[in-house]
Amino acid sequence: MNWLTQTIGVGLIIIAAIDIFITVLYPRTGNSIVSLPLGRGIWHVFRQLARWTKSDRLMAYCGSVVLVVVAIFWIALFIIGFALIVWSMLGDEIVASSGKTPTDFGTAVYYSGFNFTTLGVGDFVPKTTTCRLLTILQSALGFATFTVTLTYLLSVLNALTQRNIFALSLHHRTGTGHTSPALRGQGKPLTKANAAELLLGWGMGGKFDNTKQDITNMARDLLQLLESHNSYPVLHYFRFPEPHYSLARMLLITMDTATLIKTALCDREYKSLIHSTAVSELQSSGLYTLKQLADSFLPQGAIANAPAKLSASYSCETQWREWYYYVVRRLQSEGIKTPEDIETGADKYVSLRREWNDEVAAFAKHMAYRWSDVAPAESAISASAFLLLKNSSQQK
């Protein structure tokens, strides 16, 4: 029986060591034995609690809880693993410094715990060379685990800060509070998360000077976003109440920006921008980032069930067309030239958007954001067009 408990103990130690290695020292999404499944499970619990309590703010604590639980789990695996190894040695190879030596499992956990945490209480003394070497090994692993865990926590928080900076940068560059003429009477301003406003800011007066560098920086930040999530998957579970921090919002703005440049600008006038390596890099980087993150974090079937429509008769593609028409009008109003054949441009926009929209919508749904919060301007335009269409049909 002793060999069985010791074998289980060795197995727990190996699992903890491997998980720490591939989570911290070889951080690539999908390789984790314990931490990734644990993160998914905790996220599921937080989503359920948020539904029951009707409080989205509760989910904001999920990422921090995942970090703490994973660290505790690593430490617990090591302590219990070594406790199973030394349990049978109590009273023989490991004795109390005074009095009779207890031989229960709780005592084994206590002995393993103060060795692993390097407390050195001294209540128990190893008598054999094997036990002394085992004590040294456990203390060394404990010191290394605490050091690596603290380093990992700091790295995650630094990566989270960089992600939030990128999100805020996009948020403050993509909106001016413009109100659509169709919505002025309803008092519904088009606020942030508007790729059209980003294009307008770049192309004031019909000229896109220095735009390529900004686009290149955006593509670089996208790839950094991908690598930070690959290195620290727990970042995915830091879900803030403000939608401008959401992954869906960041991906929507970057992908829609690249798509609108390709379809809503006059090719003859802005050929050097539309066909530039900067725009191609933004489009390809965005698609690559989106597909990689979707494969890593979205549950099976999430993409197929993600698209949100205003009604069964008002398709997603119809909503995209209405948004495209709105963007073209906005660009024209600021002196930016648009394609001569708007319908062809709309067809191209819809075709390109099919490549990425479902994944973005799936991320919004998976992280419990409403699409109207992720894309407020687009949703407002689509809702307004739908109401006009509905009223027109009823009058007929």
Side-chain angles (χ1 to χ4, degrees):
M1 191 65 181
N2 292 340
W3 68 267
L4 178 60
T5 57
Q6 289 178 340
T7 301
I8 294 173
V10 171
L12 293 179
I13 293 170
I14 290 174
I15 290 173
I18 291 175
D19 196 62
I20 289 176
F21 177 80
I22 61 181
T23 300
V24 181
L25 302 177
Y26 183 68
R28 301 303 297 175
T29 303
N31 290 331
S32 172
I33 297 175
V34 176
S35 51
L36 264 182
L38 202 58
R40 294 190 186 104
I42 293 172
W43 169 246
H44 180 72
V45 170
F46 268 84
R47 282 204 63 174
Q48 292 300 323
L49 289 175
R51 288 173 183 170
W52 293 337
T53 60
K54 300 184 185 304
S55 173
D56 286 350
R57 189 165 292 274
L58 187 64
M59 290 182 284
Y61 303 104
C62 181
S64 301
V65 170
V66 171
L67 278 177
V68 172
V69 170
V70 167
I72 292 174
F73 198 79
W74 286 337
I75 295 169
L77 283 178
F78 275 122
I79 291 176
I80 294 173
F82 276 105
L84 289 170
I85 293 174
V86 303
W87 188 11
S88 62
M89 301 176 183
L90 292 175
D92 183 16
E93 299 177 74
I94 300 171
V95 297
S97 56
S98 62
K100 186 178 179 180
T101 304
T103 58
D104 57 287
F105 184 65
T107 301
V109 171
Y110 170 69
Y111 176 78
S112 174
F114 75 63
N115 280 336
F116 188 77
T117 55
T118 66
L119 292 176
V121 176
D123 293 9
F124 296 87
V125 180
K127 290 293 186 180
T128 64
T129 302
T130 301
C131 288
R132 293 186 183 117
L133 292 176
L134 193 63
T135 300
I136 294 173
L137 174 63
Q138 187 174 7
S139 298
L141 282 174
F143 180 78
T145 299
F146 285 111
T147 302
V148 166
T149 300
L150 287 174
T151 303
Y152 179 69
L153 295 179
L154 293 175
S155 298
V156 169
L157 294 177
N158 181 61
L160 179 63
T161 300
Q162 295 302 314
R163 189 188 79 172
N164 289 347
I165 290 173
F166 179 43
L168 282 175
S169 174
L170 287 177
H171 178 65
H172 289 294
R173 283 193 291 165
T174 56
T176 59
H178 168 76
T179 302
S180 168
L183 300 175
R184 280 175 185 159
Q186 303 174 37
K188 298 179 180 179
L190 299 187
T191 54
K192 306 292 182 179
N194 187 339
E197 299 300 323
L198 182 58
L199 287 181
L200 289 167
W202 281 336
M204 281 292 180
K207 297 186 180 298
F208 287 88
D209 298 332
N210 302 319
T211 300
K212 294 178 185 178
Q213 185 58 51
D214 281 347
I215 294 173
T216 298
N217 292 339
M218 189 183 293
R220 179 204 59 202
D221 291 338
L222 262 180
L223 293 177
Q224 183 176 341
L225 181 73
L226 171 63
E227 284 306 302
S228 64
H229 278 75
N230 279 336
S231 298
Y232 311 110
V234 69
L235 284 177
H236 181 63
Y237 302 109
F238 280 87
R239 191 267 190 199
F240 297 99
E242 300 84 3
H244 56 260
Y245 286 114
S246 69
L247 197 59
R249 170 75 69 87
M250 290 183 272
L251 293 169
L252 170 68
I253 291 174
T254 51
M255 292 308 306
D256 203 29
T257 297
T259 305
L260 288 173
I261 290 175
K262 290 284 188 179
T263 61
L265 297 181
C266 177
D267 188 83
R268 185 181 65 256
E269 184 72 18
Y270 307 111
K271 184 176 182 179
S272 62
L273 172 64
I274 295 171
H275 301 285
S276 65
T277 55
V279 174
S280 297
E281 182 184 14
L282 178 62
Q283 186 178 35
S284 60
S285 297
L287 283 174
Y288 180 75
T289 299
L290 187 58
K291 302 298 182 183
Q292 290 290 312
L293 292 177
D295 289 341
S296 299
F297 296 107
L298 292 180
Q300 189 174 8
I303 296 175
N305 299 324
K309 298 185 292 184
L310 294 173
S311 76
S313 61
Y314 200 76
S315 68
C316 288
E317 294 190 2
T318 303
Q319 294 174 224
W320 302 342
R321 283 182 177 274
E322 293 297 340
W323 172 244
Y324 177 81
Y325 296 147
Y326 164 78
V327 172
V328 168
R329 291 194 297 270
R330 284 286 291 131
L331 295 176
Q332 291 173 344
S333 69
E334 298 296 335
I336 298 174
K337 294 184 179 181
T338 57
E340 296 177 1
D341 189 343
I342 301 300
E343 288 304 319
T344 300
D347 291 339
K348 186 178 180 181
Y349 176 80
V350 168
S351 176
L352 290 176
R353 183 150 180 171
R354 286 196 200 104
E355 298 178 3
W356 55 265
N357 187 83
D358 288 356
E359 284 84 356
V360 174
F363 270 111
K365 187 175 182 179
H366 179 58
M367 299 307 293
Y369 290 106
R370 292 188 296 269
W371 185 251
S372 58
D373 292 331
V374 171
E378 181 178 326
S379 298
I381 290 294
S382 299
S384 177
F386 173 67
L387 288 174
L388 290 174
L389 180 62
K390 184 178 179 181
N391 292 335
S392 176
S393 300
Q394 288 175 347
Q395 290 173 1
K396 291 180 180 179

